[in-house]
């Protein structure tokens, strides 16, 4: 645990990627294999479920710190992080004799979940009393979740590659899937090469960059295919050994959340992997991303929701067929096989993203302009002879999105940014005018937007926020409505969850409209008119 | 009912029978000054009264002013009110102010800490009836480690940076923190360089305390001279063009706020050392116990929470608004 805490401290005290990679690689070389597995698990969202709720955690911590609960809560409000608050208010009273490993602590947590409150309390208070400050903090973080130390799964994989001298892409592949740190050894997870382990494993997704030049710069139209760019979730559907697996791009196994795919399980031959887009269907036509969101978070799906918003996979690539990895074959060939198999299966849950034929780039431009009418975000351009690559690579795949829609909105709330901009207020909330029931115009929040300003502009807005704060709510400040920004977004849909009644997709700041007064900002009605 | 011995008005803390202010924030005729930080020692008073060790500091900061001095423990009377100054342990020359009138004793702590920092005269408790105390870090989340442990960490950090061929840049307030760090740096590791503001203040203080040798960074200073060495700079130098000369460097802040992980990140520092010239939670409670006061007034810091806590343990505590800032987090200048 000491070593793991030291690692977290190191990761937490640097913003430099290469320092983080080196610290992690060094750590991987030093610790036991089982600690390695658990560290990989923790850094890839595979922590054990919380053994205790936070209400009890607070009570036990306040009691041990000998302070009343209100004082603990007030301190928590100021510190802003529960594990940190607990670690700070509890003084270390007794020296620890034996050192428990990270693995032991995580095994403790799995055990602890099943214990009664009395056992939980005495276990936690005993650990808190004995652990030095930073270990106490890390230990409590393991209980509450969410380290936020700027280590992505990718960065962790790079470090592991450095420590083991195994190719990073191969490691990324190995670490995917449905493994459990409790039951797997480092050898099995990382070192061994066994085909059967890969049963559920998807392929790393090939991701496209946004096209910045004119498409005509890509060369002759004959070398390219175009498809619509669908606004759903990128996913791989796998059928191997009579089982079906559904993975989303966040490398998350979501098979259980989309039971509709069980219906087509028997129709798909073993050893098949599709790449495509999960899309919601409303009355037999594609719904909005907002409809899909009603399904995304649900781990268990009710029958009525399943009927109301069924989800389909609109396929656009075939990565494996007849148990053969097809990624090195040309895209045109993969597409041909794909359309054959999808036609054979012939089930509405498995669709295909049609190839758009075009002779001249200009023809394609026209089609792109009308993309919104078919509920697409624009076009994808794919080179006909391209292989299926790993990660985001330039050259063979491009996304050619529509220009976003935009609206002028008023800055109303601000929060501090992360990383390099953590000393500035860079996360903003924007509002539009709306008429309330008394016929008065008021500002109604409609979107949060993060990026899009230059450093210089961020500094100026930050200064304005600090000088014009109305109220503080923890890290959030409300500000005097005075600044107007043009906010762009890629899609818009009606929403009952949002106060504004509207949900926007990928809102971002296009520019600061210094030329506009808040009275000139748009209204919610203007925004709603953009919904098709 | 008679007016209290010390009242809070729009100019500062006022003693009506003596017609004198303490740490006034607006210009007044006569003012007793607890210590040299800018939120306590302000411009524009006609007469300043303070400890002799604070005199060169406020003269350095405020220029030509009328200053009278009085030693710690030495009693003096103004209109029948007895005053005396007592060490506060905050920075060099910092005092608490004891005020006695018709058998009633009040103490104003100014800024203070209980840990002996080896630079300034250590804090002394004073029995009193009413206490005006700061509570900058009046939250149970603040617990300082012993200074020697923190200084060991700072020297260790310097050595590690040196090994990597980097310059160590540590930020601390010009008066107090900078000298406290300087005093306990290990000169056997390398050379100690200073920013102009800190060099000037340290020069003033060299008559009052012994410090290791420092080297002022000037336009002529070459980058190579700094490599592997340590630089002490005021917080305002962070992110300024001045710091470019130190590339490649590692930054660190020394402040009580560094107890919070978020504070270090918000200031975009590579390291944060928890080192404060103010009382932490337990020091405040220890001090309040030793003052033995019946009435407690909390001025700056987490006043609401701290006074609520004091009331919850049966003390008569309330808060008063002042313009003292304590150690600040939000602004660039770590005021005090
Ligand atoms: Zn001060």
């Amino acid at each position: 645990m000491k070593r793991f805490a030291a690692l977290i401290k190191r990761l937490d005290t640097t913003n430099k990627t290469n320092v983080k990679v080196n610290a992690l690689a060094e750590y991987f070389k030093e610790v036991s294999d089982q600690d390695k597995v658990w560290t990989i698990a923790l850094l890839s969202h595979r922590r054990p479920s919380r053994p205790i709720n936070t209400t009890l955690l607070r009570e036990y911590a306040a009691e041990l710190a000998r302070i009343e609960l209100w004082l603990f809560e007030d301190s928590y409000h100021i510190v802003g992080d529960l594990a940190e608050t607990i670690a700070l208010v509890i003084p270390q009273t007794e020296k620890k004799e034996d050192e428990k490993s990270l693995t032991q602590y995580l095994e403790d947590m799995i055990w602890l979940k099943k214990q009664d409150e009395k056992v939980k309390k005495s276990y936690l208070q005993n650990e808190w009393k004995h652990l030095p400050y930073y270990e106490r903090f890390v230990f409590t973080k393991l209980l509450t979740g969410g380290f936020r130390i700027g280590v992505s799964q990718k960065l962790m994989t790079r470090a592991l590659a450095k420590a083991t001298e195994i190719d990073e892409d191969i490691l990324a592949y190995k670490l995917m899937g449905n493994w459990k740190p409790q039951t797997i050894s480092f050898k099995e997870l990382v070192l061994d090469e066994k085909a059967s382990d890969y049963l559920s494993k998807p392929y790393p997704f090939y991701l496209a960059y946004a096209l910045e030049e004119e498409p005509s710069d890509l060369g002759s139209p004959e070398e390219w295919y175009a498809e619509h760019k669908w606004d759903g979730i990128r996913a791989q559907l796998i059928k191997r050994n009579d089982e079906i697996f559904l993975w989303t791009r966040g490398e998350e196994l979501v098979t259980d959340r989309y039971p509709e795919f069980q219906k087509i399980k028997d129709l798909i031959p073993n050893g098949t992997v599709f790449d495509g887009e999960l899309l919601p269907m409303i009355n037999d036509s594609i719904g909005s991303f907002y409809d899909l969101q009603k399904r995304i978070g649900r781990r268990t799906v009710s029958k009525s929701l399943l009927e109301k918003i069924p989800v389909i996979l609109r396929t656009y690539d075939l990565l494996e067929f007849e148990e053969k990895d097809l990624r090195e074959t040309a895209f045109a060939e993969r597409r041909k096989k794909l359309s054959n198999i999808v036609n054979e299966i012939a089930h509405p849950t498995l669709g295909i993203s049609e190839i758009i034929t075009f002779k001249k780039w200009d023809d394609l431009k026209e089609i792109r302009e009308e993309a919104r009418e078919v509920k697409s975000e624009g076009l994808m351009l794919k080179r006909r002879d391209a292989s299926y690559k790993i990660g985001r690579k330039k050259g063979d795949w491009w996304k050619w999105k529509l220009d976003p829609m935009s609206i002028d909105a008023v800055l109303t709330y601000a929060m501090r940014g992360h990383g390099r901009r953590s000393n500035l207020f860079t996360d903003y909330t924007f509002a539009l005018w709306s008429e309330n029931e008394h016929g008065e115009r008021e500002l109604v929040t409609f979107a949060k937007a993060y990026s899009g300003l230059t450093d210089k502009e961020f500094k100026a807005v930050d200064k304005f926020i600090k000088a014009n704060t109305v109220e503080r709510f923890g890290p959030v400040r409300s500000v005097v409505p005075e600044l107007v920004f043009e906010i762009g977004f890629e899609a818009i849909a009606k929403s009952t969850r949002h106060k504004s009644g509207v949900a926007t997709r990928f809102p971002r700041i296009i520019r600061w409209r210094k030329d506009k007064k808040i009275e000139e900002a748009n209204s919610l009605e203007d925004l709603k008119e953009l919904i098709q | 009912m008679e007016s209290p011995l010390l009242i809070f008005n729009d100019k500062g803390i006022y003693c009506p029978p003596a017609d004198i202010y303490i740490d006034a924030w607006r210009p007044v005729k006569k003012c007793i000054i607890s210590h040299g930080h800018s939120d306590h020692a302000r411009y524009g008073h006609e007469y300043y009264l303070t400890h002799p060790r604070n005199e060169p500091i406020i003269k350095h900061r405020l220029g030509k002013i009328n200053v009278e001095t009085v030693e710690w423990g030495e009693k003096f009377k103004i209109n029948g009110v007895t005053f005396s100054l007592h060490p506060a342990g905050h920075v060099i020359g910092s005092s608490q102010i004891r005020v006695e009138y018709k058998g009633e004793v009040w103490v104003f702590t100014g800024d203070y800490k209980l840990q002996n920092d080896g630079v300034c005269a250590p804090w002394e408790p004073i029995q009193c009836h009413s206490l005006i105390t700061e509570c900058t870090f009046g939250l149970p989340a603040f617990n300082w480690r012993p200074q020697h442990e923190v200084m060991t960490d700072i020297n260790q950090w310097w050595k590690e940076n040196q090994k990597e061929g980097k310059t160590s840049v540590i930020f601390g307030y010009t008066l107090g923190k900078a000298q406290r760090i300087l005093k306990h740096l290990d000169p056997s590791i390398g050379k100690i360089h200073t920013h102009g503001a800190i060099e000037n203040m340290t020069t003033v203080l060299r008559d009052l305390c012994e410090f290791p040798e420092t080297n002022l960074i000037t336009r002529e200073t070459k980058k190579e001279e700094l490599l592997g060495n340590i630089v002490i700079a005021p917080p305002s130098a962070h992110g300024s063009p001045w710091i470019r000369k130190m590339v490649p460097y590692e930054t660190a802040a020394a402040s009580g706020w560094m107890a919070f992980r978020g504070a270090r990140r918000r200031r975009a520092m590579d390291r944060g050392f928890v080192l404060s010239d103010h009382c932490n939670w337990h020091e405040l409670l220890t001090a309040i116990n030793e003052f033995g006061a019946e009435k407690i007034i909390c001025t700056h810091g987490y006043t609401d929470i701290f006074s609520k806590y004091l009331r919850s343990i049966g003390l008569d505590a309330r808060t008063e608004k002042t313009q003292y800032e304590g150690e600040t987090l939000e602004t660039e200048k770590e005021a005090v």
Side-chain angles (χ1 to χ4, degrees):
Chain A
M1 184 63 161
K2 202 181 231 86
R3 187 63 186 85
F4 183 69
L7 169 74
I8 297 299
K9 193 169 186 176
R10 187 75 194 104
L11 296 174
D12 194 34
T13 51
T14 182
N15 304 319
K16 293 164 191 128
T17 307
N18 62 327
V19 175
K20 286 184 178 175
V21 171
N22 288 340
L24 254 169
E26 233 170 84
Y27 170 87
F28 279 130
K29 280 188 208 159
E30 285 172 29
V31 301
S32 73
D33 280 357
Q34 214 46 44
D35 275 9
K36 282 183 200 129
V37 171
W38 271 109
T39 304
I40 296 166
L42 291 172
L43 296 177
S44 60
H45 315 288
R46 287 178 177 90
R47 67 177 60 250
S49 59
R50 287 185 184 192
I52 183 167
N53 68 50
T54 57
T55 313
L56 289 176
L57 267 186
R58 292 166 205 224
E59 275 173 31
Y60 300 164
E63 185 192 287
L64 188 61
R66 295 183 190 181
I67 55 177
E68 287 177 52
L69 203 56
W70 71 264
L71 185 53
F72 179 86
E73 294 295 341
D74 278 9
S75 303
Y76 172 35
H77 184 75
I78 287 158
V79 176
D81 180 285
L82 184 60
E84 195 178 343
T85 311
I86 291 174
L88 285 169
V89 299
I90 296 171
Q92 188 190 353
T93 45
E94 289 157 47
K95 268 257 173 305
K96 197 164 173 72
E97 295 300 323
D98 55 332
E99 155 80 7
K100 272 201 255 179
S101 70
L102 175 68
T103 302
Q104 275 171 298
Y105 273 111
L106 288 155
E107 281 167 358
D108 281 1
M109 275 170 210
I110 294 162
W111 161 83
L112 191 64
K113 194 175 166 65
K114 297 185 207 105
Q115 306 307 308
D116 61 29
E117 285 188 14
K118 225 176 106 196
V119 176
K120 286 183 181 178
K121 182 170 158 181
S122 85
Y123 170 83
L124 290 173
Q125 293 192 335
N126 183 50
E127 290 299 336
W128 282 332
K129 254 196 301 208
H130 287 87
L131 288 167
Y133 166 71
Y134 210 85
E135 285 171 57
R136 188 161 66 229
F137 162 66
V138 171
F139 165 73
T140 314
K141 266 288 179 203
L142 292 176
L143 297 165
T144 59
F147 266 107
R148 277 210 223 146
I149 38 171
V151 176
S152 60
Q153 183 158 350
K154 190 167 171 55
L155 199 147
M156 182 264 291
T157 312
R158 202 194 304 173
L160 191 61
K162 207 171 166 182
T164 58
E165 292 176 3
I166 297 173
D167 181 86
E168 194 183 323
D169 287 341
I170 290 175
L171 269 181
Y173 182 77
K174 280 169 175 267
L175 298 184
M176 278 186 173
N178 197 18
W179 54 273
K180 283 207 175 77
Q182 295 95 305
T183 52
I184 201 164
S185 72
F186 185 68
K187 194 166 164 291
E188 286 171 295
L189 178 69
V190 173
L191 304 177
D192 281 358
E193 290 229 27
K194 266 192 286 165
S196 64
D197 290 341
Y198 299 151
L199 199 63
S200 76
K201 288 188 180 179
Y203 294 95
F205 286 90
Y206 180 13
L207 307 171
Y209 272 97
L211 186 67
E212 274 152 21
E213 302 106 65
E214 282 297 304
S216 51
D217 295 343
L218 296 176
S220 161
E222 291 97 73
E223 292 170 22
W224 294 85
Y225 277 155
E227 299 166 24
H228 277 292
K229 187 181 184 319
W230 305 108
D231 184 20
I233 312 175
R234 183 83 180 273
Q236 278 179 41
L237 182 66
I238 298 169
K239 165 87 183 277
R240 288 185 195 128
N241 207 16
D242 296 330
E243 266 192 85
I244 208 161
F245 307 95
L246 186 68
W247 287 87
T248 59
R249 213 195 92 192
E251 287 162 10
E252 219 184 339
L253 187 60
V254 293
T255 321
D256 298 342
R257 296 189 202 181
Y258 301 94
E260 41 268 87
F261 292 98
Q262 296 304 331
K263 288 181 298 188
I264 56 170
K265 188 176 90 176
D266 296 336
L267 302 175
I268 306 171
N270 274 317
T272 309
V273 177
F274 298 106
D275 183 11
E277 197 89 2
L278 289 176
L279 293 169
M281 299 303 281
I282 305 287
N283 303 329
D284 294 327
S285 69
I286 299 178
S288 69
F289 190 79
Y290 176 68
D291 294 316
L292 188 58
Q293 264 176 341
K294 290 179 190 154
R295 290 287 307 269
I296 291 172
R298 300 281 172 88
R299 274 169 201 278
T300 49
V301 195
S302 69
K303 215 176 155 195
S304 66
L305 185 63
L306 200 56
E307 269 164 28
K308 215 171 119 201
I309 312 174
V311 166
I312 65 150
L313 183 75
R314 190 163 275 187
T315 60
Y316 35 64
D317 215 324
L318 185 65
L319 309 186
E320 183 179 304
F321 188 59
E322 292 173 336
E323 291 170 5
K324 268 204 281 299
D325 181 351
L326 298 182
R327 292 176 299 161
E328 285 304 314
T329 54
F331 179 56
E333 211 172 306
R334 298 202 306 272
R335 274 300 304 215
K336 217 176 180 174
K337 278 204 175 106
L338 175 70
S339 90
N340 287 343
I341 177 173
V342 172
N343 283 337
E344 237 167 81
I345 291 167
H347 192 284
T349 302
L350 199 71
I352 191 159
S353 178
E354 294 299 336
I355 294 285
I356 299 165
T357 47
F358 63 104
K359 294 226 162 57
K360 299 191 305 274
W361 289 111
D362 281 345
D363 301 345
L364 206 53
K365 257 189 194 161
E366 276 172 35
I367 295 167
R368 174 170 163 269
E369 290 309 318
E370 286 152 16
R372 237 170 230 136
E373 283 166 28
V374 294
K375 296 274 169 65
S376 108
E377 301 180 276
L379 298 176
M380 286 297 301
L381 303 175
K382 296 177 179 176
R383 197 185 286 277
R384 292 188 187 194
D385 63 3
S387 61
Y388 189 93
K389 300 194 169 46
I390 289 173
R392 204 176 289 282
K393 299 274 155 63
K394 281 189 177 174
D396 294 336
W397 278 23
W398 297 100
K399 50 184 179 193
W400 191 27
K401 285 199 189 180
L402 286 171
D403 295 328
M405 301 182 254
S406 78
I407 203 143
D408 292 332
V410 181
L411 172 71
T412 49
Y413 293 92
M415 212 169 93
R416 285 181 194 278
H418 298 287
R420 188 167 65 91
R421 289 189 174 136
S422 61
N423 57 337
L424 296 178
F425 283 91
T426 58
D427 294 1
Y428 308 136
T429 301
F430 295 94
L432 294 169
W433 292 107
S434 176
E435 210 164 89
N436 66 19
E437 62 265 37
H438 310 294
E440 297 152 352
R441 255 159 64 100
E442 57 176 20
L443 285 165
V444 174
T445 296
F446 92 102
K448 264 188 182 175
Y450 308 91
S451 55
L453 293 181
T454 64
D455 279 5
K456 209 176 143 192
E457 285 173 323
F458 269 129
K459 270 192 195 142
V461 177
D462 178 73
K463 209 173 151 193
F464 170 85
I465 289 162
K466 282 173 185 161
N468 291 279
T469 297
V470 181
E471 267 183 292
R472 294 169 194 220
F473 319 89
V476 180
R477 292 177 175 203
S478 67
V479 295
V480 179
E482 201 176 308
L483 306 186
V484 178
F485 293 84
E486 185 178 343
I487 308 301
F489 40 91
E490 276 160 15
I492 181 169
K494 283 200 183 99
S495 153
T496 48
R497 271 205 311 208
H498 295 73
K499 195 181 165 193
S500 62
V502 177
T504 52
R505 181 118 159 93
F506 296 131
R508 63 185 176 87
I509 302 166
I510 297 179
R511 65 195 140 138
W512 184 356
R513 296 298 304 256
K514 291 186 189 172
D515 55 321
K516 289 214 169 182
K517 293 204 172 68
I518 58 164
E519 291 75 24
E520 299 170 75
N522 284 107
S523 69
L524 263 183
E525 296 314 307
D526 298 335
L527 182 68
K528 284 176 183 162
E529 268 176 28
L530 297 171
I531 303 175
Q532 283 165 340
Chain B
M1 204 181 93
E2 253 184 275
S3 146
L5 187 50
L6 294 176
I7 59 169
F8 294 77
N9 67 25
D10 59 346
K11 293 193 178 108
I13 300 174
Y14 181 59
C15 178
D19 188 24
I20 192 165
Y21 278 87
I22 297 172
D23 286 2
W25 46 83
R26 291 233 195 111
V28 296
K29 204 163 168 208
K30 287 183 282 181
C31 193
I32 304 174
I33 302 294
S34 69
H35 69 287
H37 281 144
S38 57
D39 54 335
H40 291 261
R42 306 237 181 190
Y43 289 97
H45 309 314
E46 281 179 44
Y47 295 97
Y48 292 78
L49 187 74
T50 194
H51 188 268
R53 292 171 82 83
N54 190 33
E55 182 184 6
I57 298 170
I58 57 173
K59 279 195 165 157
H60 170 69
R61 289 213 135 146
L62 305 176
K64 268 201 155 183
I65 49 170
N66 289 318
V67 187
E68 264 181 61
T69 62
V70 57
E71 291 292 341
W72 284 313
E74 194 181 299
K75 292 186 173 174
F76 58 98
K77 276 198 174 183
I78 304 172
N79 288 347
V81 184
T82 309
F83 292 86
S84 54
L85 305 184
H86 304 266
H90 175 54
V91 295
I92 290 186
S94 66
S95 303
Q96 309 174 78
I97 293 139
R98 182 186 184 275
V99 188
E100 182 178 354
Y101 189 56
K102 293 180 181 169
E104 190 189 344
V105 179
W106 284 59
V107 166
F108 169 64
T109 64
D111 293 339
Y112 68 120
K113 70 169 176 287
L114 268 51
Q115 213 181 118
N116 183 352
D117 66 8
V119 177
C120 62
W123 173 83
E124 287 172 9
I126 313 155
Q127 285 289 314
C128 61
H129 300 105
S130 294
L131 175 72
I132 303 171
T133 179
E134 64 131 331
C135 53
T136 306
F137 293 108
L139 211 62
F142 294 107
N143 292 296
W144 317 142
R145 288 157 64 216
Q147 171 177 288
H148 67 90
E149 286 184 24
V150 181
M151 285 310 305
T152 305
D153 284 356
I154 293 177
N155 282 315
Q156 189 58 36
W157 168 75
W158 178 11
K159 271 191 233 168
E160 280 163 22
N161 295 336
Q162 189 175 55
K163 238 194 305 181
E164 291 172 19
K166 287 178 180 169
T167 303
S168 305
V169 185
I170 188 160
F171 297 97
Y173 197 59
T174 309
L175 166 62
K177 200 68 61 66
Q179 292 78 31
R180 189 174 171 192
I181 294 166
L182 171 61
K183 176 84 183 174
H184 303 287
L185 282 176
D186 178 0
S188 73
I189 300 171
K191 278 173 125 185
I192 303 165
H193 293 269
T194 49
H195 179 278
I198 284 170
E199 183 61 27
N200 291 341
M201 181 57 80
T202 307
T203 305
V204 172
L205 299 178
R206 279 187 191 279
D207 293 340
L208 307 171
C209 181
E210 253 185 71
F211 293 109
E213 191 192 323
T214 51
N215 304 277
L216 172 67
I217 296 173
T218 64
R219 213 170 276 172
E220 283 71 43
T221 310
K222 293 203 175 60
K223 209 170 151 169
E224 298 73 44
E225 294 174 51
L226 298 172
L227 279 184
N229 293 321
I230 196 165
V231 177
I232 309 176
S236 58
H238 188 33
S240 74
W242 175 84
I243 201 173
R244 278 188 216 133
K245 196 181 277 223
M246 282 103 223
V247 175
Y249 60 81
E250 286 281 312
T251 55
S255 160
W257 292 107
M258 291 300 130
F260 293 172
R261 289 160 62 245
R264 181 192 59 73
R265 265 195 311 244
R266 254 169 256 156
R267 289 244 203 115
M269 293 287 175
D270 297 317
R271 272 295 284 274
F273 296 105
V274 187
L275 193 70
S276 177
D277 288 325
H278 294 263
C279 286
N280 66 25
W281 174 257
H282 289 286
E283 286 177 292
L284 282 170
L285 296 180
T286 304
I288 279 167
N289 192 34
E290 295 198 22
F291 282 118
E294 294 145 16
K295 285 193 163 76
I296 296 153
I297 299 169
C298 306
T299 57
H300 49 305
Y302 291 109
T303 49
D304 292 341
I305 296 173
F306 190 63
S307 60
K308 184 176 170 187
Y309 175 76
L310 293 181
R311 287 193 296 276
S312 82
I313 57 169
L315 292 168
D316 178 0
R318 64 187 174 91
T319 68
E320 281 282 355
K321 252 196 155 59
T322 66
Q323 293 193 10
Y324 311 136
E325 293 171 341
E327 207 168 308
T328 58
L329 176 68
E330 287 289 323
T331 54
E332 269 297 292
K333 77 179 162 102
E334 178 192 326
V336 259

